[in-house]
Amino acid sequence: MRLEPISQPSLQRRLLPPTLAILASFAIAALLAQIAGGNPFAVFDLIFKGALGSKFALLETLNRATPLIFTGLAVAVAFRAKLWNIGAEAQLYAGAVITVVLGTGALAWPAPVLLPTLAIGAALAGAIVLLIPAMLKTRFGVDEVVTTLLFNFIFLLFVSYLLEGPLKDPMGMGWPKSARLIPEARLPRIVEGLRLHWGFALALICAVVVWVIDRKTTLGFEMRAVGQNPEAAAFAGIPVAKVILKTALLSGGLAAMGGFSEVAGLKGSLTLDLSPGFGYTGIVVAMLALLNPLGVVAAALFVAIIFVGADSMSRAIGVPTYLADIMLASALLLMVLAILFTKFRVRRD
Amino acid sequence: MELLDILLSASFWAAAIRIASPLIFATIGELICERAGVLNLGIEGIMVAGAFAGWISVWAGLPLWGGVAVALIVGMAFGLLHSVLSVPFGLSQHVVGVGITLLATSVTFYTYRVVLPEVSSPPKIEAFQPFEIPLFSDIPLLGPALFSQTPLTYAAFVMAGLTAFVLFRTPLGLAVRAAGENPSAVAAQGLSVTAIRMGAVIVGSGLMAVGGAFLTMSAFDSFFFDMVGGRGWICIALVVFGAWRPGKALLGAILFAAFDALQIRVQQASLGTVIPYQIFLMMPYVLSILALVLMSRSAQVPAALMVPFNKGTR
């Protein structure tokens, strides 16, 4: 078999395969739910009711989507430039650590000054965490997939050390947990009385900013050029290594803002279970969004619906929540295949 | 002097070989994939799946070697999926690999919960027991370290030797290596690059799964969710460290395991009270990154690694 490029893909050609990919992932989940003894229709009904069925559920879903927008953007930005950042998890924790270091009383500033400081501090920390693997890539040619993955383990152990040592809450009854943020360091709720914080709005703003960078600036153009063909980009005079490092700063910073938003908006303190794999799920989000920054928002909402809904479904009828993870992993694989089919036709030899 | 005592003790080297065994299986598996030109980042998830599949089969009544066979088959199945996506369709090996890891891990955890819904701690199985090879196991230091291990450890060494032989002494091995260096030349010989690469990924993935099964069936006797804990990623670093040669990769895995065994012992000794334990736990990952950086200049990367091959496009 042979792949033949399609020069002018029709609208149908561009939309049908991705749609089929999503439907197929639902079918796989339905089959597995059946095997586990759950009626697939009941399972999906419970998933959607659990995620969207009440005001409380809907707000929970938006809250869950927030860190996924940040990590999804981080991955999308990096993957566009073919910088394979699988380390959003570590970068997110880096942002959370800085938020806790500066926000638990070290800086006793009023909220309008303190919150931006924390956000910027967090972004810088995350940027630095990704800068190391990015420099190993540009200087020594070390594959960043493996280094960013290994950094996830290293950084989580570092956080574990901090939470049992320097950052341990003296009032924490021995639990490995940081002190609580001072009130000025907490992101307020968007509407008083509703459990949705400004981190969600910040995530939306970031998505728009990334979209503008991607489409309207030289850096965005350079990032895409490097991603499509580094040799050609270098030949055209684009400083490839510099662009990769800039991409790393942006990507790491975005993931770390997710850590800031989770701690300052939702949790109020840092524990080792802050992220149930938001960094890895960000990869699924970014791929489902076809690496489009605005698409990331939609994809993050979709993924959040599946996760929040699966939690509530599992409580109701006992089909394991890992159904959500399987569904999203298969959606990821099917989506990359679907993207291929939007651009190529399969011909037999 | 504490350090010297540790390094001269047979139990230390026995532990090093034991820790190295799963790494040897998985590193050789990854090496086979990469020699054919495919980076297999599904390794971490495939090890999780293999660890679970082997263990649950034995728990359900299969003999130990039957469990190993099930792990092998499960690994090959994920390898087949990886290779279909990454070879004929030529999709990004990075994304496909991460996807396979996510899929294999979540399918494993799902199956665990479906099969064992009500357990608080996982059941234990009768794991592989050490088998002392007569005469050899009486050699001082070397005997207990090398010749009093479980059969699965011996299998790891035999498998590494066999892989080296096939890769460098047989026409099949030549074809596999050529597929990773110069696929056009392979196609010009009338061989199918697609078939060779898919075969290598399937076989390599099977070995990764057996590496995972070593953890639940020989090193321990039970399955825990985070038991693979990044070993797959470490094996990818070991392939680079071993310069894509089975013998060097085997030595690399043993060296690495020796460091790991050493840090466990130092942690228990006097130093462990001064240095936080997390520093020790970080060492394997830090060492892997260092190995990657050190080898980056001299490494003989297969020329067509991560380059999809599409007949007709030159």
Side-chain angles (χ1 to χ4, degrees), chain A residues 32 36 84 140 145-146 149 153 157-158 160-161 164 320 322 325, chain B residues 41 94 106 110 113 225 230 233 236 276-278 282 285 296:
Chain A
L32 288 167
W84 303 106
F140 300 102
V145 173
V146 187
L149 275 165
F153 291 88
L157 285 164
F158 177 61
S160 155
Y161 157 72
E164 289 176 19
Y322 293 109
D325 300 81
Chain B
L41 292 179
H94 286 117
S106 50
Y110 185 80
R113 285 272 182 251
F225 274 28
W233 313 130
I236 291 188
Y277 70 93
Q278 288 94 345
M282 276 181 204
Y285 310 111
S296 62

PDB file of all heavy atoms in Angstrom, chain A residues 32 36 84 140 145-146 149 153 157-158 160-161 164 320 322 325, chain B residues 41 94 106 110 113 225 230 233 236 276-278 282 285 296:
ATOM      1  N   LEU A  32     -16.117  -2.037  26.024  1.00  0.00           N
ATOM      2  CA  LEU A  32     -15.455  -2.362  27.288  1.00  0.00           C
ATOM      3  C   LEU A  32     -16.408  -2.236  28.465  1.00  0.00           C
ATOM      4  O   LEU A  32     -16.328  -2.997  29.428  1.00  0.00           O
ATOM      5  CB  LEU A  32     -14.232  -1.458  27.478  1.00  0.00           C
ATOM      6  CG  LEU A  32     -13.072  -1.807  26.540  1.00  0.00           C
ATOM      7  CD1 LEU A  32     -12.035  -0.715  26.535  1.00  0.00           C
ATOM      8  CD2 LEU A  32     -12.434  -3.123  26.970  1.00  0.00           C
ATOM      9  N   ALA A  36     -17.504  -5.127  31.220  1.00  0.00           N
ATOM     10  CA  ALA A  36     -17.466  -4.947  32.677  1.00  0.00           C
ATOM     11  C   ALA A  36     -18.857  -5.071  33.292  1.00  0.00           C
ATOM     12  O   ALA A  36     -19.029  -4.881  34.494  1.00  0.00           O
ATOM     13  CB  ALA A  36     -16.853  -3.592  33.014  1.00  0.00           C
ATOM     14  N   TRP A  84       9.098  17.856  21.377  1.00  0.00           N
ATOM     15  CA  TRP A  84       8.211  16.855  21.981  1.00  0.00           C
ATOM     16  C   TRP A  84       8.258  16.973  23.490  1.00  0.00           C
ATOM     17  O   TRP A  84       8.946  16.226  24.170  1.00  0.00           O
ATOM     18  CB  TRP A  84       8.588  15.447  21.511  1.00  0.00           C
ATOM     19  CG  TRP A  84       8.558  15.334  20.026  1.00  0.00           C
ATOM     20  CD1 TRP A  84       9.636  15.274  19.193  1.00  0.00           C
ATOM     21  CD2 TRP A  84       7.408  15.301  19.173  1.00  0.00           C
ATOM     22  NE1 TRP A  84       9.220  15.202  17.882  1.00  0.00           N
ATOM     23  CE2 TRP A  84       7.852  15.215  17.847  1.00  0.00           C
ATOM     24  CE3 TRP A  84       6.027  15.338  19.413  1.00  0.00           C
ATOM     25  CZ2 TRP A  84       6.989  15.161  16.759  1.00  0.00           C
ATOM     26  CZ3 TRP A  84       5.177  15.277  18.330  1.00  0.00           C
ATOM     27  CH2 TRP A  84       5.646  15.191  17.029  1.00  0.00           C
ATOM     28  N   PHE A 140      23.270  19.244  22.525  1.00  0.00           N
ATOM     29  CA  PHE A 140      23.884  17.916  22.439  1.00  0.00           C
ATOM     30  C   PHE A 140      23.091  16.958  21.560  1.00  0.00           C
ATOM     31  O   PHE A 140      23.492  15.819  21.366  1.00  0.00           O
ATOM     32  CB  PHE A 140      24.029  17.293  23.830  1.00  0.00           C
ATOM     33  CG  PHE A 140      24.886  18.096  24.762  1.00  0.00           C
ATOM     34  CD1 PHE A 140      24.307  18.887  25.736  1.00  0.00           C
ATOM     35  CD2 PHE A 140      26.269  18.063  24.664  1.00  0.00           C
ATOM     36  CE1 PHE A 140      25.095  19.636  26.593  1.00  0.00           C
ATOM     37  CE2 PHE A 140      27.059  18.809  25.524  1.00  0.00           C
ATOM     38  CZ  PHE A 140      26.474  19.606  26.487  1.00  0.00           C
ATOM     39  N   VAL A 145      12.116  13.822  24.306  1.00  0.00           N
ATOM     40  CA  VAL A 145      11.016  12.992  24.813  1.00  0.00           C
ATOM     41  C   VAL A 145      11.462  12.275  26.083  1.00  0.00           C
ATOM     42  O   VAL A 145      10.802  12.314  27.114  1.00  0.00           O
ATOM     43  CB  VAL A 145      10.587  11.939  23.780  1.00  0.00           C
ATOM     44  CG1 VAL A 145       9.579  10.984  24.379  1.00  0.00           C
ATOM     45  CG2 VAL A 145      10.002  12.600  22.574  1.00  0.00           C
ATOM     46  N   VAL A 146      12.620  11.638  25.989  1.00  0.00           N
ATOM     47  CA  VAL A 146      13.083  10.848  27.125  1.00  0.00           C
ATOM     48  C   VAL A 146      13.477  11.751  28.289  1.00  0.00           C
ATOM     49  O   VAL A 146      13.130  11.484  29.438  1.00  0.00           O
ATOM     50  CB  VAL A 146      14.279   9.970  26.699  1.00  0.00           C
ATOM     51  CG1 VAL A 146      14.648   9.030  27.811  1.00  0.00           C
ATOM     52  CG2 VAL A 146      13.949   9.200  25.444  1.00  0.00           C
ATOM     53  N   LEU A 149      10.400  13.181  29.983  1.00  0.00           N
ATOM     54  CA  LEU A 149       9.734  12.122  30.743  1.00  0.00           C
ATOM     55  C   LEU A 149      10.476  11.836  32.042  1.00  0.00           C
ATOM     56  O   LEU A 149       9.873  11.703  33.111  1.00  0.00           O
ATOM     57  CB  LEU A 149       9.685  10.846  29.904  1.00  0.00           C
ATOM     58  CG  LEU A 149       8.529  10.727  28.945  1.00  0.00           C
ATOM     59  CD1 LEU A 149       8.782   9.622  27.944  1.00  0.00           C
ATOM     60  CD2 LEU A 149       7.244  10.468  29.693  1.00  0.00           C
ATOM     61  N   PHE A 153       9.674  12.370  36.689  1.00  0.00           N
ATOM     62  CA  PHE A 153       9.934  11.554  37.879  1.00  0.00           C
ATOM     63  C   PHE A 153      10.834  12.319  38.849  1.00  0.00           C
ATOM     64  O   PHE A 153      10.603  12.336  40.056  1.00  0.00           O
ATOM     65  CB  PHE A 153      10.587  10.228  37.494  1.00  0.00           C
ATOM     66  CG  PHE A 153       9.658   9.309  36.755  1.00  0.00           C
ATOM     67  CD1 PHE A 153       9.533   9.375  35.380  1.00  0.00           C
ATOM     68  CD2 PHE A 153       8.874   8.396  37.447  1.00  0.00           C
ATOM     69  CE1 PHE A 153       8.667   8.546  34.709  1.00  0.00           C
ATOM     70  CE2 PHE A 153       8.006   7.562  36.772  1.00  0.00           C
ATOM     71  CZ  PHE A 153       7.901   7.633  35.391  1.00  0.00           C
ATOM     72  N   LEU A 157       9.744  13.717  42.708  1.00  0.00           N
ATOM     73  CA  LEU A 157      10.502  13.355  43.910  1.00  0.00           C
ATOM     74  C   LEU A 157      10.985  14.613  44.625  1.00  0.00           C
ATOM     75  O   LEU A 157      11.008  14.672  45.864  1.00  0.00           O
ATOM     76  CB  LEU A 157      11.687  12.457  43.538  1.00  0.00           C
ATOM     77  CG  LEU A 157      11.320  11.017  43.206  1.00  0.00           C
ATOM     78  CD1 LEU A 157      12.453  10.310  42.489  1.00  0.00           C
ATOM     79  CD2 LEU A 157      10.950  10.266  44.487  1.00  0.00           C
ATOM     80  N   PHE A 158      11.375  15.627  43.844  1.00  0.00           N
ATOM     81  CA  PHE A 158      11.804  16.897  44.425  1.00  0.00           C
ATOM     82  C   PHE A 158      10.644  17.530  45.203  1.00  0.00           C
ATOM     83  O   PHE A 158      10.820  18.001  46.338  1.00  0.00           O
ATOM     84  CB  PHE A 158      12.289  17.817  43.295  1.00  0.00           C
ATOM     85  CG  PHE A 158      12.690  19.186  43.746  1.00  0.00           C
ATOM     86  CD1 PHE A 158      13.724  19.358  44.659  1.00  0.00           C
ATOM     87  CD2 PHE A 158      12.038  20.311  43.254  1.00  0.00           C
ATOM     88  CE1 PHE A 158      14.101  20.631  45.075  1.00  0.00           C
ATOM     89  CE2 PHE A 158      12.406  21.581  43.663  1.00  0.00           C
ATOM     90  CZ  PHE A 158      13.435  21.751  44.572  1.00  0.00           C
ATOM     91  N   SER A 160       8.145  15.930  46.474  1.00  0.00           N
ATOM     92  CA  SER A 160       7.947  15.086  47.653  1.00  0.00           C
ATOM     93  C   SER A 160       8.912  15.484  48.761  1.00  0.00           C
ATOM     94  O   SER A 160       8.544  15.588  49.935  1.00  0.00           O
ATOM     95  CB  SER A 160       8.132  13.622  47.254  1.00  0.00           C
ATOM     96  OG  SER A 160       8.519  12.849  48.355  1.00  0.00           O
ATOM     97  N   TYR A 161      10.177  15.758  48.375  1.00  0.00           N
ATOM     98  CA  TYR A 161      11.177  16.197  49.353  1.00  0.00           C
ATOM     99  C   TYR A 161      10.770  17.541  49.965  1.00  0.00           C
ATOM    100  O   TYR A 161      10.809  17.715  51.187  1.00  0.00           O
ATOM    101  CB  TYR A 161      12.554  16.299  48.691  1.00  0.00           C
ATOM    102  CG  TYR A 161      13.495  17.227  49.393  1.00  0.00           C
ATOM    103  CD1 TYR A 161      14.053  16.878  50.634  1.00  0.00           C
ATOM    104  CD2 TYR A 161      13.815  18.477  48.847  1.00  0.00           C
ATOM    105  CE1 TYR A 161      14.903  17.746  51.289  1.00  0.00           C
ATOM    106  CE2 TYR A 161      14.657  19.348  49.504  1.00  0.00           C
ATOM    107  CZ  TYR A 161      15.198  18.993  50.725  1.00  0.00           C
ATOM    108  OH  TYR A 161      16.019  19.857  51.386  1.00  0.00           O
ATOM    109  N   GLU A 164       8.012  17.227  52.487  1.00  0.00           N
ATOM    110  CA  GLU A 164       8.374  16.591  53.760  1.00  0.00           C
ATOM    111  C   GLU A 164       9.464  17.385  54.462  1.00  0.00           C
ATOM    112  O   GLU A 164       9.823  17.089  55.599  1.00  0.00           O
ATOM    113  CB  GLU A 164       8.863  15.159  53.509  1.00  0.00           C
ATOM    114  CG  GLU A 164       7.733  14.241  53.108  1.00  0.00           C
ATOM    115  CD  GLU A 164       8.212  12.848  52.761  1.00  0.00           C
ATOM    116  OE1 GLU A 164       9.333  12.496  53.164  1.00  0.00           O
ATOM    117  OE2 GLU A 164       7.456  12.130  52.089  1.00  0.00           O
ATOM    118  N   PRO A 320     -15.223   0.635  36.178  1.00  0.00           N
ATOM    119  CA  PRO A 320     -14.054   1.403  36.622  1.00  0.00           C
ATOM    120  C   PRO A 320     -13.863   2.721  35.856  1.00  0.00           C
ATOM    121  O   PRO A 320     -14.127   2.786  34.654  1.00  0.00           O
ATOM    122  CB  PRO A 320     -12.876   0.455  36.348  1.00  0.00           C
ATOM    123  CG  PRO A 320     -13.474  -0.907  36.298  1.00  0.00           C
ATOM    124  CD  PRO A 320     -14.859  -0.730  35.795  1.00  0.00           C
ATOM    125  N   TYR A 322     -11.264   3.976  34.877  1.00  0.00           N
ATOM    126  CA  TYR A 322     -10.218   3.869  33.847  1.00  0.00           C
ATOM    127  C   TYR A 322     -10.812   3.760  32.453  1.00  0.00           C
ATOM    128  O   TYR A 322     -10.103   3.895  31.458  1.00  0.00           O
ATOM    129  CB  TYR A 322      -9.289   2.692  34.149  1.00  0.00           C
ATOM    130  CG  TYR A 322      -8.492   2.924  35.399  1.00  0.00           C
ATOM    131  CD1 TYR A 322      -8.750   2.212  36.567  1.00  0.00           C
ATOM    132  CD2 TYR A 322      -7.493   3.891  35.423  1.00  0.00           C
ATOM    133  CE1 TYR A 322      -8.031   2.449  37.710  1.00  0.00           C
ATOM    134  CE2 TYR A 322      -6.767   4.139  36.573  1.00  0.00           C
ATOM    135  CZ  TYR A 322      -7.037   3.413  37.725  1.00  0.00           C
ATOM    136  OH  TYR A 322      -6.336   3.662  38.861  1.00  0.00           O
ATOM    137  N   ASP A 325      -9.902   6.804  30.715  1.00  0.00           N
ATOM    138  CA  ASP A 325      -8.517   6.845  30.227  1.00  0.00           C
ATOM    139  C   ASP A 325      -8.362   6.041  28.943  1.00  0.00           C
ATOM    140  O   ASP A 325      -7.663   6.452  28.016  1.00  0.00           O
ATOM    141  CB  ASP A 325      -7.574   6.295  31.293  1.00  0.00           C
ATOM    142  CG  ASP A 325      -7.639   7.093  32.575  1.00  0.00           C
ATOM    143  OD1 ASP A 325      -8.560   6.865  33.378  1.00  0.00           O
ATOM    144  OD2 ASP A 325      -6.787   7.965  32.754  1.00  0.00           O
TER     145      ASP A 325
ATOM    146  N   LEU B  41       8.075   4.205  21.962  1.00  0.00           N
ATOM    147  CA  LEU B  41       7.807   4.835  23.260  1.00  0.00           C
ATOM    148  C   LEU B  41       6.626   4.173  23.959  1.00  0.00           C
ATOM    149  O   LEU B  41       6.207   4.609  25.020  1.00  0.00           O
ATOM    150  CB  LEU B  41       7.519   6.326  23.088  1.00  0.00           C
ATOM    151  CG  LEU B  41       8.701   7.186  22.638  1.00  0.00           C
ATOM    152  CD1 LEU B  41       8.249   8.633  22.479  1.00  0.00           C
ATOM    153  CD2 LEU B  41       9.837   7.126  23.633  1.00  0.00           C
ATOM    154  N   HIS B  94       6.668   9.454  17.994  1.00  0.00           N
ATOM    155  CA  HIS B  94       6.533  10.032  19.335  1.00  0.00           C
ATOM    156  C   HIS B  94       5.097   9.927  19.832  1.00  0.00           C
ATOM    157  O   HIS B  94       4.826   9.422  20.910  1.00  0.00           O
ATOM    158  CB  HIS B  94       6.965  11.499  19.325  1.00  0.00           C
ATOM    159  CG  HIS B  94       8.444  11.676  19.237  1.00  0.00           C
ATOM    160  ND1 HIS B  94       9.058  12.293  18.175  1.00  0.00           N
ATOM    161  CD2 HIS B  94       9.427  11.318  20.075  1.00  0.00           C
ATOM    162  CE1 HIS B  94      10.359  12.298  18.358  1.00  0.00           C
ATOM    163  NE2 HIS B  94      10.613  11.711  19.504  1.00  0.00           N
ATOM    164  N   SER B 106      -3.888   2.159  30.691  1.00  0.00           N
ATOM    165  CA  SER B 106      -5.275   2.283  31.133  1.00  0.00           C
ATOM    166  C   SER B 106      -6.045   0.978  30.928  1.00  0.00           C
ATOM    167  O   SER B 106      -6.874   0.620  31.763  1.00  0.00           O
ATOM    168  CB  SER B 106      -5.962   3.463  30.441  1.00  0.00           C
ATOM    169  OG  SER B 106      -5.775   3.411  29.053  1.00  0.00           O
ATOM    170  N   TYR B 110      -7.848  -0.911  33.997  1.00  0.00           N
ATOM    171  CA  TYR B 110      -9.273  -1.207  33.839  1.00  0.00           C
ATOM    172  C   TYR B 110      -9.514  -2.694  34.076  1.00  0.00           C
ATOM    173  O   TYR B 110     -10.390  -3.091  34.849  1.00  0.00           O
ATOM    174  CB  TYR B 110      -9.718  -0.796  32.436  1.00  0.00           C
ATOM    175  CG  TYR B 110     -11.195  -0.944  32.163  1.00  0.00           C
ATOM    176  CD1 TYR B 110     -12.094   0.014  32.616  1.00  0.00           C
ATOM    177  CD2 TYR B 110     -11.687  -2.026  31.438  1.00  0.00           C
ATOM    178  CE1 TYR B 110     -13.449  -0.104  32.365  1.00  0.00           C
ATOM    179  CE2 TYR B 110     -13.039  -2.142  31.170  1.00  0.00           C
ATOM    180  CZ  TYR B 110     -13.918  -1.185  31.632  1.00  0.00           C
ATOM    181  OH  TYR B 110     -15.257  -1.298  31.376  1.00  0.00           O
ATOM    182  N   ARG B 113      -9.272  -3.706  37.682  1.00  0.00           N
ATOM    183  CA  ARG B 113     -10.459  -3.361  38.467  1.00  0.00           C
ATOM    184  C   ARG B 113     -11.651  -4.250  38.121  1.00  0.00           C
ATOM    185  O   ARG B 113     -12.489  -4.525  38.974  1.00  0.00           O
ATOM    186  CB  ARG B 113     -10.830  -1.895  38.244  1.00  0.00           C
ATOM    187  CG  ARG B 113      -9.910  -0.933  38.954  1.00  0.00           C
ATOM    188  CD  ARG B 113     -10.390  -0.674  40.378  1.00  0.00           C
ATOM    189  NE  ARG B 113      -9.522   0.294  41.025  1.00  0.00           N
ATOM    190  CZ  ARG B 113      -8.663  -0.032  41.998  1.00  0.00           C
ATOM    191  NH1 ARG B 113      -8.572  -1.271  42.427  1.00  0.00           N
ATOM    192  NH2 ARG B 113      -7.917   0.900  42.552  1.00  0.00           N
ATOM    193  N   PHE B 225       0.157  -0.800  41.033  1.00  0.00           N
ATOM    194  CA  PHE B 225      -0.109   0.128  39.923  1.00  0.00           C
ATOM    195  C   PHE B 225       1.140   0.856  39.433  1.00  0.00           C
ATOM    196  O   PHE B 225       1.301   1.079  38.254  1.00  0.00           O
ATOM    197  CB  PHE B 225      -1.190   1.138  40.323  1.00  0.00           C
ATOM    198  CG  PHE B 225      -2.577   0.619  40.071  1.00  0.00           C
ATOM    199  CD1 PHE B 225      -2.837  -0.734  40.097  1.00  0.00           C
ATOM    200  CD2 PHE B 225      -3.619   1.480  39.786  1.00  0.00           C
ATOM    201  CE1 PHE B 225      -4.103  -1.236  39.854  1.00  0.00           C
ATOM    202  CE2 PHE B 225      -4.900   1.002  39.534  1.00  0.00           C
ATOM    203  CZ  PHE B 225      -5.143  -0.349  39.577  1.00  0.00           C
ATOM    204  N   GLY B 230       8.629   4.109  35.457  1.00  0.00           N
ATOM    205  CA  GLY B 230       9.613   4.798  34.628  1.00  0.00           C
ATOM    206  C   GLY B 230      10.742   3.914  34.128  1.00  0.00           C
ATOM    207  O   GLY B 230      11.628   4.392  33.433  1.00  0.00           O
ATOM    208  N   TRP B 233      11.283   4.156  30.360  1.00  0.00           N
ATOM    209  CA  TRP B 233      12.017   5.343  29.871  1.00  0.00           C
ATOM    210  C   TRP B 233      13.508   5.166  30.131  1.00  0.00           C
ATOM    211  O   TRP B 233      14.345   5.596  29.341  1.00  0.00           O
ATOM    212  CB  TRP B 233      11.502   6.617  30.535  1.00  0.00           C
ATOM    213  CG  TRP B 233      10.009   6.735  30.564  1.00  0.00           C
ATOM    214  CD1 TRP B 233       9.231   7.023  31.641  1.00  0.00           C
ATOM    215  CD2 TRP B 233       9.083   6.570  29.465  1.00  0.00           C
ATOM    216  NE1 TRP B 233       7.903   7.032  31.292  1.00  0.00           N
ATOM    217  CE2 TRP B 233       7.788   6.759  29.982  1.00  0.00           C
ATOM    218  CE3 TRP B 233       9.248   6.273  28.117  1.00  0.00           C
ATOM    219  CZ2 TRP B 233       6.649   6.662  29.178  1.00  0.00           C
ATOM    220  CZ3 TRP B 233       8.114   6.173  27.323  1.00  0.00           C
ATOM    221  CH2 TRP B 233       6.842   6.369  27.845  1.00  0.00           C
ATOM    222  N   ILE B 236      15.064   3.167  27.433  1.00  0.00           N
ATOM    223  CA  ILE B 236      15.331   3.922  26.202  1.00  0.00           C
ATOM    224  C   ILE B 236      16.692   4.611  26.320  1.00  0.00           C
ATOM    225  O   ILE B 236      17.482   4.627  25.371  1.00  0.00           O
ATOM    226  CB  ILE B 236      14.196   4.921  25.943  1.00  0.00           C
ATOM    227  CG1 ILE B 236      12.958   4.120  25.567  1.00  0.00           C
ATOM    228  CG2 ILE B 236      14.582   5.922  24.855  1.00  0.00           C
ATOM    229  CD1 ILE B 236      11.802   4.908  25.107  1.00  0.00           C
ATOM    230  N   PRO B 276      18.238  13.283  52.211  1.00  0.00           N
ATOM    231  CA  PRO B 276      16.842  12.850  52.084  1.00  0.00           C
ATOM    232  C   PRO B 276      16.711  11.684  51.095  1.00  0.00           C
ATOM    233  O   PRO B 276      17.429  11.628  50.088  1.00  0.00           O
ATOM    234  CB  PRO B 276      16.125  14.092  51.539  1.00  0.00           C
ATOM    235  CG  PRO B 276      17.118  15.165  51.417  1.00  0.00           C
ATOM    236  CD  PRO B 276      18.452  14.691  51.860  1.00  0.00           C
ATOM    237  N   TYR B 277      15.779  10.764  51.398  1.00  0.00           N
ATOM    238  CA  TYR B 277      15.693   9.548  50.583  1.00  0.00           C
ATOM    239  C   TYR B 277      15.300   9.844  49.140  1.00  0.00           C
ATOM    240  O   TYR B 277      15.619   9.093  48.236  1.00  0.00           O
ATOM    241  CB  TYR B 277      14.725   8.545  51.214  1.00  0.00           C
ATOM    242  CG  TYR B 277      13.276   8.952  51.142  1.00  0.00           C
ATOM    243  CD1 TYR B 277      12.475   8.526  50.094  1.00  0.00           C
ATOM    244  CD2 TYR B 277      12.690   9.754  52.138  1.00  0.00           C
ATOM    245  CE1 TYR B 277      11.146   8.893  50.025  1.00  0.00           C
ATOM    246  CE2 TYR B 277      11.370  10.130  52.067  1.00  0.00           C
ATOM    247  CZ  TYR B 277      10.605   9.697  51.011  1.00  0.00           C
ATOM    248  OH  TYR B 277       9.284  10.080  50.925  1.00  0.00           O
ATOM    249  N   GLN B 278      14.626  10.989  48.931  1.00  0.00           N
ATOM    250  CA  GLN B 278      14.204  11.305  47.559  1.00  0.00           C
ATOM    251  C   GLN B 278      15.405  11.482  46.628  1.00  0.00           C
ATOM    252  O   GLN B 278      15.319  11.183  45.439  1.00  0.00           O
ATOM    253  CB  GLN B 278      13.360  12.581  47.532  1.00  0.00           C
ATOM    254  CG  GLN B 278      11.971  12.412  48.119  1.00  0.00           C
ATOM    255  CD  GLN B 278      11.932  12.809  49.584  1.00  0.00           C
ATOM    256  OE1 GLN B 278      12.962  12.945  50.230  1.00  0.00           O
ATOM    257  NE2 GLN B 278      10.735  12.998  50.107  1.00  0.00           N
ATOM    258  N   MET B 282      15.975   9.604  43.096  1.00  0.00           N
ATOM    259  CA  MET B 282      16.161  10.350  41.847  1.00  0.00           C
ATOM    260  C   MET B 282      17.310   9.796  41.016  1.00  0.00           C
ATOM    261  O   MET B 282      17.338   9.984  39.797  1.00  0.00           O
ATOM    262  CB  MET B 282      16.507  11.817  42.153  1.00  0.00           C
ATOM    263  CG  MET B 282      15.358  12.719  42.413  1.00  0.00           C
ATOM    264  SD  MET B 282      16.047  14.358  42.707  1.00  0.00           S
ATOM    265  CE  MET B 282      14.737  15.058  43.679  1.00  0.00           C
ATOM    266  N   TYR B 285      17.028   8.154  37.474  1.00  0.00           N
ATOM    267  CA  TYR B 285      16.577   9.050  36.403  1.00  0.00           C
ATOM    268  C   TYR B 285      17.671  10.042  36.040  1.00  0.00           C
ATOM    269  O   TYR B 285      17.898  10.334  34.863  1.00  0.00           O
ATOM    270  CB  TYR B 285      15.304   9.779  36.844  1.00  0.00           C
ATOM    271  CG  TYR B 285      14.251   8.842  37.386  1.00  0.00           C
ATOM    272  CD1 TYR B 285      13.907   8.837  38.741  1.00  0.00           C
ATOM    273  CD2 TYR B 285      13.625   7.927  36.549  1.00  0.00           C
ATOM    274  CE1 TYR B 285      12.961   7.961  39.241  1.00  0.00           C
ATOM    275  CE2 TYR B 285      12.681   7.048  37.029  1.00  0.00           C
ATOM    276  CZ  TYR B 285      12.346   7.061  38.382  1.00  0.00           C
ATOM    277  OH  TYR B 285      11.423   6.190  38.871  1.00  0.00           O
ATOM    278  N   SER B 296      25.804  11.292  23.685  1.00  0.00           N
ATOM    279  CA  SER B 296      25.186  11.967  22.540  1.00  0.00           C
ATOM    280  C   SER B 296      26.192  12.255  21.434  1.00  0.00           C
ATOM    281  O   SER B 296      25.868  12.229  20.260  1.00  0.00           O
ATOM    282  CB  SER B 296      24.523  13.263  23.000  1.00  0.00           C
ATOM    283  OG  SER B 296      25.507  14.125  23.531  1.00  0.00           O
TER     284      SER B 296
END
